[in-house]
C-alpha cells in the first residue's frame, strides 16, 4: 500500500490538508488506525526531526509538519480510544518552569500518544508543584519534563525533589529530555530516564514501565 | 538628544552595555520570575546594573524591558502592566544616564509566531509593539532597540511601529547561529536577507546580537555590510551557558572575551556591546579596545 508513504510524504512537507485527506481515505478503506500512526505519521515526523538536526529544516518547517501530524492524529485518536485498546500507561508531560519551548515536548507527547500511552499535556512553564499535583491526581506512571535552556534545567531537579516531598517519588518514573539535557544530568538529579529524541522517548517510556 | 545619537555614529564607535538578564539573576532573580517586574519591585538593583555599565565606560545602556510586551507579560499575569513596566524601565535608566550617554529602549521578540505559522496576526503584533514602544519613549528612551529577532517580518513590524509612532532613531538586530548552511536565524533567515529587509523597513542601525561570540558576529556583519547603507551594530554573547553544579557558567570569561573581540572591530561596526553572560568587566575590556579605534 502506497498510502502510508503518501501520508508520511505529505507530513514531511507540512501539508496538513493532504494528511487529513489521506488519513480519511485510509480509514474509509478500513485501515487499522494504529497502522496509520506507526507506518505513516511516525516515520514522517522522524524524517522531519532528522532534517531539523541536519539544518535542512528550520523551525517553520517543523511547526508546519507538527500541525500536519496533528491533523492526522486528531482523526485517529478517537478511533483508538473507541477500540477500547488498553493504554500502555499514563504520562503527565510538560516543560520545566520558566521554559516556553514546547515544540519538542509536543512531538514527544504526540509520539507517546501515537504508540498507545495516555498523555496529559500540561503545556509549558510548569512548576514543580503543578507536576506533582497532576501526577498525584491523575495517578500517572510517568512524569515527562522537557527543558531547552540551561537556566530552566534546575526546574527538573526541583520537580524530582517535589515528588519526593509529596511522598510519591516511588510511584512515578521521571523521564527528562530537551537539547541541553544529558544522561549525565538525569543521573545527577536522580531522574529515571533520559531520551534524546521522540522515538527514543517512546522506547524509554516502555522500558521504564517494563513493557519491552 | 536623539539626533545627537546618529550624528555621533558618523565619527566614533559607541559602546553599548552587556547582559541585563544574567546580571539580575546574579542579584536574585529566579527562573520563574518576571525580569521586567523588577523595574517596579527592585528598581535599585536594576539601576545598579545600569550604573555599573556606565562606570565601565559604556556610552549607552539598554532598558530592562526586553520581554516587556503584552504577549510575554501575559505569561506572568502582567499584561495590564505593559505601559507601567516599560515606562519605569526607561525612567530608571534615564535617571542614572550621564550627560553624553544614551538610553536604549529594549524591545525583544514576542515569542509568538505570525500567522499562518502561528496564532498572531500582523495587526495584533503591531499593536503589541506599539503599546511597549510608546511607553519606552514616554519614559525617556533616546533610541529604540529592537533585538534578538529571529523572524524578519516580526522585526520589520517593530521597526515600522517605532518609525511611525515616535521620532527616535531605531536599532534592529537579529540573532544567528552558524550551521552547515552558514549563518541562519532559527527561522532559517540569512544575514543578507535580514539586512535587506531591516533596511527597507527603515531601521537606522542594523546588526546582530546574542550570537555566540565575537567571531560569529564578525561573520554576520561581513555579510550584511555590502547590502546595506545603515550603521552596523554587534553584541555577541559570552558563549553558550553550561550548567555546572547548579550554576550557570558561560564559556567566555572577561579576558577570553577580550582576546576574541578585536577581530570584530575589523569590519568597523558603529556600535558594539555584549549580550548574555557578559558583565561590566567584559565591557570594560571592550571600552578599552574601542578607545584605541576612536583616538
Ligand atoms: C524554537 C526556539 C525558540 C522559540 C520557541 C517556540 C516554542 N513554542 O517552542 C522561541 C522564539 C519562543 C524561543 C524563545 C527563547 N529562546 Co529559544 N530556541 C528555539 C530553537 C531555535 C529550537 C528549539 C526547538 O524547537 N527545537 C526543535 C525540537 C523538535 O527539538 P527539541 O526541542 O530538542 O526536542 C527534541 C529532543 O530534545 C527531545 N525532547 C524534548 N523534550 C523532551 C522531553 C522528554 C521527556 C524527552 C524524553 C525527550 C524530549 O525530543 C524532541 C523531539 O525529537 C533553539 C535552538 C536550537 N536550534 O535548538 C533555541 C534555544 C533553545 N533558545 C534559546 C534561548 C536563549 C531563548 C530565549 C531566552 C531567547 C530570548 N533571548 O528571548 C527565549 C526564552 C523563552 C523561554 N522563556 O523559554 C537558547 C537556549 C540557550 C541555553 N542553552 O540556555 C537556544 C539553544 C538558542 C541558542 N543557541 O542560544 N526559542
Amino acid at each position: 500500500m502506497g498510502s502510508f508513504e503518501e501520508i508520511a510524504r505529505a507530513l514531511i512537507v507540512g501539508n496538513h490538508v493532504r494528511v487529513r485527506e489521506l488519513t480519511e481515505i485510509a480509514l474509509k478503506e478500513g485501515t487499522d488506525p494504529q497502522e496509520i500512526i506507526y507506518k505513516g505519521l511516525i516515520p514522517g515526523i522522524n524524517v522531519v526531526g532528522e532534517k531539523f538536526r541536519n539544518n535542512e529544516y528550520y523551525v517553520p518547517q517543523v511547526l508546519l509538519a507538527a500541525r500536519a501530524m496533528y491533523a492526522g492524529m486528531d482523526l485517529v485518536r478517537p478511533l483508538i480510544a473507541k477500540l477500547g485498546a488498553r493504554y500502555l500507561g499514563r504520562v503527565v508531560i510538560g516543560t520545566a518552569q520558566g521554559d516556553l519551548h514546547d515544540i519538542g515536548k509536543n512531538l514527544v507527547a504526540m509520539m507517546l500518544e501515537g504508540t498507545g500511552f495516555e498523555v496529559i499535556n500540561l503545556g509549558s512553564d510548569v512548576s514543580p508543584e503543578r507536576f506533582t499535583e497532576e501526577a498525584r491526581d491523575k495517578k500517572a506512571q510517568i512524569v515527562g519534563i522537557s527543558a531547552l535552556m540551561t537556566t530552566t534545567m534546575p526546574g527538573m531537579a526541583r520537580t524530582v525533589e517535589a515528588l519526593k516531598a509529596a511522598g510519591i517519588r516511588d510511584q512515578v518514573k521521571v523521564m527528562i529530555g530537551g537539547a541541553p539535557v544529558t544522561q549525565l544530568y538525569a543521573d545527577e538529579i536522580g531522574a529515571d530516564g533520559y531520551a534524546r529524541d521522540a522515538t527514543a522517548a517512546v522506547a524509554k517510556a516502555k522500558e521504564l514501565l517494563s513493557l519491552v | 538628544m536623539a539626533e545627537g545619537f546618529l550624528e555621533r555614529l558618523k565619527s566614533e564607535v559607541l559602546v553599548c552595555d552587556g547582559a541585563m538578564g544574567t546580571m539580575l539573576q546574579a542579584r536574585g532573580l529566579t527562573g520563574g520570575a518576571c525580569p521586567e517586574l523588577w523595574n517596579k519591585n527592585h528598581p535599585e538593583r536594576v539601576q545598579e546594573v545600569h550604573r555599573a555599565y556606565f562606570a565601565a565606560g559604556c556610552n549607552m545602556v539598554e532598558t530592562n524591558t526586553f520581554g516587556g510586551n503584552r504577549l510575554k507579560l501575559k505569561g506572568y499575569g502582567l499584561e495590564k502592566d505593559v505601559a507601567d513596566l516599560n515606562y519605569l524601565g526607561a525612567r530608571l535608566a534615564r535617571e542614572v544616564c550621564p550627560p553624553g550617554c544614551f538610553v536604549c529602549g529594549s524591545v525583544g521578540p514576542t515569542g509568538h509566531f505570525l500567522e499562518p505559522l502561528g496564532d498572531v496576526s500582523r495587526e495584533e503584533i503591531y499593536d503589541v509593539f506599539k503599546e511597549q514602544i510608546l511607553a519606552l519613549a514616554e519614559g525617556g528612551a533616546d533610541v529604540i532597540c529592537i533585538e534578538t529577532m529571529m523572524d524578519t517580518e516580526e522585526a520589520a513590524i517593530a521597526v515600522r511601529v517605532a518609525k511611525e509612532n515616535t521620532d527616535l532613531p531605531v536599532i534592529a538586530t537579529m540573532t544567528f547561529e552558524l550551521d552547515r548552511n552558514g549563518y541562519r536565524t532559527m527561522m532559517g533567515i540569512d544575514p543578507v536577507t535580514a539586512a535587506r529587509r531591516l533596511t527597507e523597513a527603515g531601521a537606522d542601525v542594523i546588526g546582530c546580537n546574542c550570537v555566540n561570540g565575537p567571531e560569529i558576529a564578525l561573520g554576520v556583519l561581513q555579510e550584511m555590510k555590502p547590502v546595506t547603507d545603515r550603521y552596523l551594530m554587534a553584541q555577541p554573547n559570552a558563549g553558550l551557558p553550561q550548567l555546572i553544579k547548579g550554576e550557570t557558567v558561560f564559556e567566555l570569561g572577561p579576558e577570553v572575551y577580550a582576546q576574541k573581540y578585536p577581530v570584530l572591530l575589523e569590519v568597523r561596526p558603529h556600535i558594539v556591546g555584549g549580550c548574555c553572560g557578559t558583565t561590566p568587566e567584559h565591557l570594560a575590556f571592550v571600552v578599552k579596545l574601542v578607545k584605541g579605534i576612536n583616538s
Side-chain angles (χ1 to χ4, degrees), chain A residues 98 100-104 146 149-150 178 196-198, chain B residues 66 177 186:
Chain A
L100 300 176
H101 296 88
D102 64 359
I103 300 171
S146 176
M149 299 193 291
T150 44
R196 70 180 282 267
D197 58 27
Chain B
F66 178 80
E177 280 183 61
M186 69 160 206

Side-chain angles (χ1 to χ4, degrees), chain A residues 53-56 58-60 63-64 67 97-98 100 103 125 150-151 153-154 185 188, chain B residues 25 31-32 75 113 116-118 179-181 184-188 241-243 245 248:
Chain A
R53 268 197 295 279
N54 292 334
N55 310 133
E56 280 176 65
Y58 290 89
V59 169
L63 285 175
L64 289 175
R67 183 186 302 173
Q97 191 163 46
L100 300 176
I103 300 171
D125 187 14
T150 44
T151 45
M153 283 165 63
Y185 185 69
E188 201 179 300
Chain B
Q25 277 156 22
F113 299 106
L117 257 197
D179 68 27
R180 33 178 110 166
N181 298 316
R184 292 290 185 277
T185 73
M186 69 160 206
M187 304 302 272
Q242 279 167 322
L243 198 64
K245 296 205 173 72
T248 301

Side-chain angles (χ1 to χ4, degrees), chain A residues 122-163:
Chain A
L122 302 181
S124 48
D125 187 14
V126 180
S127 67
E129 296 72 32
R130 173 112 196 278
F131 271 118
T132 306
E133 269 165 40
E134 295 281 344
R136 186 201 298 120
D137 297 350
K138 305 281 162 37
K139 298 193 171 46
Q141 282 110 334
I142 297 180
V143 172
I145 319 171
S146 176
L148 265 285
M149 299 193 291
T150 44
T151 45
T152 53
M153 283 165 63
M156 297 174 147
R158 289 201 303 273
T159 303
V160 172
E161 292 310 315
L163 290 168

